Amino acid sequence: MAREFQRGHKARLSDLTAGTDLYVGVRIDAPGVTFDISCFGLDAEERLSDDRYFIFYNQPKSPEESIQQLGEQAGDTESFRVTLDLVPEAVRHLSFTATIDGDGQMSQVGPGYIRIVAGGEEVVRYPFTGAEFSTERAVMLGDIYYKNAWRFAAVGQGFDGGLDALLQNFGGEVLEDEEPEPEPAAQPAAPPAFAPPSGPPPVFAPPPGAAAPAPPAPQQQTPPPPPQQPTPAPQPAQAPAAPLPHHAAPTLAAGLAVPGQGGHQPVTPGPPQPPPSAPTAGHAPQVPHAPQAPPAPSFGGSFAAPASGGFAPPAAPGPTAPPGAHTPPVAGQQPGYGVPQAGGQGLAVTLEKYREAPNGQRWTQQNAQLVRVDLGVDGQPVLAKQGSMVLYQGKAEFGYKGAGIRGRIVGNATGQEMQLMRCSGSGQVFFAEEAAYVHPLELQGDAICVSAENVLAFDESLQYEVRRIEGHGIPGGALFTMQFHGTGTIIVKTRGTPVVLPVTPSTYADAQAVIAWSAAAQVIVSSQVRLRRQAYPGHSGESVNLQFRGAPGNFIVVQPYEV
């Protein structure tokens, strides 16, 4: 019997079926709305690094045919065949998406689903309705991804920007309709490029789809011979048509190096025939590097490497920079050299180091003071300190997490009360507090002691309780801390970079500086410390030294700051 998932649910495919040759069916419709259903083959960082793995109506299969688009059948609006054994190592994530072609929004969608069938038997289904969406025009319905094993996830997240926003999310870009103009004869050659789909149709695809590309093939062979027979001269004229492959290459993946190289090739053939000085001025407005055209053969090859050439396509800034340069007269080469550097170091380059860390894990440390949790991974909520959320993406929900009457009494009496909120849903949430350093600690059935004031967030699966530290001469007779145990991640915050020390018989730490320690360690209060009667947990007063004892493997974490 097929399992039914809800949004955010995930499972190993091996727990659902032993098969690896899968049928993925999608049903989605709405009155008066047209949908395009596609599959994105992404790398480990969930980026479309190879646009050959963007499977849609114009590219119905991947190079090795591990992913194939089959069309409408068996009650599904669109269907795919995924052969996991053939998927290359470079592709670790398959995202099945639906985008609206024209007007409309996803809230208009009727009951739909994405399902996986193995061996003719449906093994899992994620049903959805328009009530789960609002103004989105593109949604990610489900993912098949590799994390130690192939898994399936019901996603159900979308973008208001439609296909453009979806492509940008995966690191691609939309192809502009500017390529057909340079060479109309090359466009008829495009259908033969898609002729390979004629191979699989006899096996999987419907016959109509295979028959369409076949007839154009013989028609294309007849037009080319007439122009070649009357005039052999057009053969050299075909050389300028070489730029077309360069423009056609960055169809979806944003390759910056290709435009840069394409810009240099037309410059090199131009200068050799006329005098060097005149053509350089003519080519300068087109390519910022053209002022150095006299040594074009040698300098052009060496300068093609800079990545700033990727920003050269906006040719407008090229000519404006040389007039404002320091030496416009004879030293025109210097302004030409400086223009690409100025154009390349824009906001995109400057802010690149602050780019969001790649996805793929439940907890990801964005930087030393910011941590991100993906609520869709494992599908379990997170408990975090109230007010610690700084931003979120997707459909995340925040609710109050009460401790109950008993918990509030214990928290107030021990100084270990935690004001928590519950974060659930399927989005990504970023946590931080007062620019404190954050440290994700993963527990695998073990336990750790942390003061409540140093806890920023943790998985709801973890169990926690107040622990008493006995000590003579302390007001109240004890100190208190929180003990977390189970399986999950806890985010601990510190002031400054902490130090982790192994526990030895002579390990002491200031009670106001110690952050955490292994729960198996024995903690006692040093007899050398005497406190004022006004000192009690939660107030500074005078420091309290704690002595730690335990077997090898125990540790303490101390921050360079006293609370």
Side-chain angles (χ1 to χ4, degrees), residues 128-375:
F128 55 84
T129 63
E132 300 184 24
F133 311 109
S134 57
T135 59
E136 297 92 334
R137 291 176 48 79
V139 292
M140 298 178 292
L141 299 175
D143 291 351
I144 296 178
Y145 65 99
Y146 188 87
K147 184 179 180 182
N148 300 326
W150 285 106
R151 304 167 186 260
F152 172 72
V155 182
Q157 296 185 21
F159 302 88
D160 292 348
L163 178 62
D164 292 2
L166 189 65
L167 287 172
Q168 292 176 5
N169 178 68
F170 293 143
E173 62 181 10
V174 180
L175 178 64
E176 300 294 338
D177 298 334
E178 298 178 355
E179 298 174 2
E181 300 178 0
E183 188 185 34
Q187 290 181 351
F194 293 99
S198 60
V203 185
F204 301 101
Q219 296 177 357
Q220 292 174 355
Q221 297 176 358
T222 54
Q228 294 179 357
Q229 292 176 359
T231 55
Q235 295 178 354
Q238 294 176 356
L244 289 175
H246 296 284
H247 292 289
T251 304
L252 298 169
L256 298 180
V258 175
Q261 295 175 359
H264 291 288
Q265 288 181 356
V267 175
T268 51
Q273 298 176 358
S277 58
T280 55
H283 290 279
Q286 298 177 358
V287 182
H289 307 290
Q292 294 180 350
S298 59
F299 180 77
S302 60
F303 192 72
S308 60
F311 294 91
T320 56
H326 297 286
T327 56
V330 181
Q333 297 177 354
Q334 296 179 356
Y337 181 82
V339 170
Q341 292 182 348
Q345 301 297 331
L347 283 177
V349 176
T350 305
L351 299 178
E352 179 67 22
K353 58 183 177 181
Y354 303 114
R355 184 177 180 180
E356 181 183 359
N359 299 333
Q361 299 181 355
R362 177 169 172 82
W363 290 94
T364 304
Q365 190 160 1
Q366 178 66 29
N367 54 49
Q369 298 159 310
L370 189 65
V371 66
R372 181 191 68 211
V373 60
D374 188 346
L375 298 174

Side-chain angles (χ1 to χ4, degrees), residues 10 76 104 209 260 275 304 352 422:
K10 302 183 178 183
D76 299 332
E352 179 67 22
R422 188 173 185 267

Side-chain angles (χ1 to χ4, degrees), residues 21 72 149 153 158 165 198 271 415 461:
D21 195 356
E72 181 179 0
S198 60
S461 59

Side-chain angles (χ1 to χ4, degrees), residues 19-211:
T20 58
D21 195 356
L22 307 178
Y23 171 97
V24 180
V26 175
R27 179 170 182 81
I28 182 171
D29 55 11
V33 180
T34 303
F35 295 91
D36 291 332
I37 303 173
S38 311
C39 175
F40 288 83
L42 312 174
D43 56 23
E45 297 181 357
E46 298 186 20
R47 312 292 288 179
L48 184 63
S49 55
D50 189 343
D51 59 3
R52 296 178 301 170
Y53 290 90
F54 174 31
I55 309 303
F56 65 115
Y57 61 89
N58 255 358
Q59 188 168 257
K61 65 178 181 179
S62 61
E64 69 292 321
E65 300 185 3
S66 62
I67 313 167
Q68 302 179 45
Q69 187 178 40
L70 306 181
E72 181 179 0
Q73 59 179 310
D76 299 332
T77 310
E78 187 59 80
S79 59
F80 299 85
R81 182 187 183 187
V82 178
T83 308
L84 297 178
D85 295 338
L86 300 181
V87 175
E89 291 291 334
V91 177
R92 300 285 85 182
H93 201 114
L94 307 179
S95 181
F96 297 89
T97 66
T99 58
I100 294 179
D101 183 10
D103 298 332
Q105 55 188 21
M106 290 297 174
S107 59
Q108 303 173 241
V109 172
Y113 58 80
I114 179 173
R115 62 174 180 165
I116 295 181
V117 178
E121 180 181 358
E122 182 175 327
V123 296
V124 64
R125 172 187 293 240
Y126 162 46
F128 55 84
T129 63
E132 300 184 24
F133 311 109
S134 57
T135 59
E136 297 92 334
R137 291 176 48 79
V139 292
M140 298 178 292
L141 299 175
D143 291 351
I144 296 178
Y145 65 99
Y146 188 87
K147 184 179 180 182
N148 300 326
W150 285 106
R151 304 167 186 260
F152 172 72
V155 182
Q157 296 185 21
F159 302 88
D160 292 348
L163 178 62
D164 292 2
L166 189 65
L167 287 172
Q168 292 176 5
N169 178 68
F170 293 143
E173 62 181 10
V174 180
L175 178 64
E176 300 294 338
D177 298 334
E178 298 178 355
E179 298 174 2
E181 300 178 0
E183 188 185 34
Q187 290 181 351
F194 293 99
S198 60
V203 185
F204 301 101

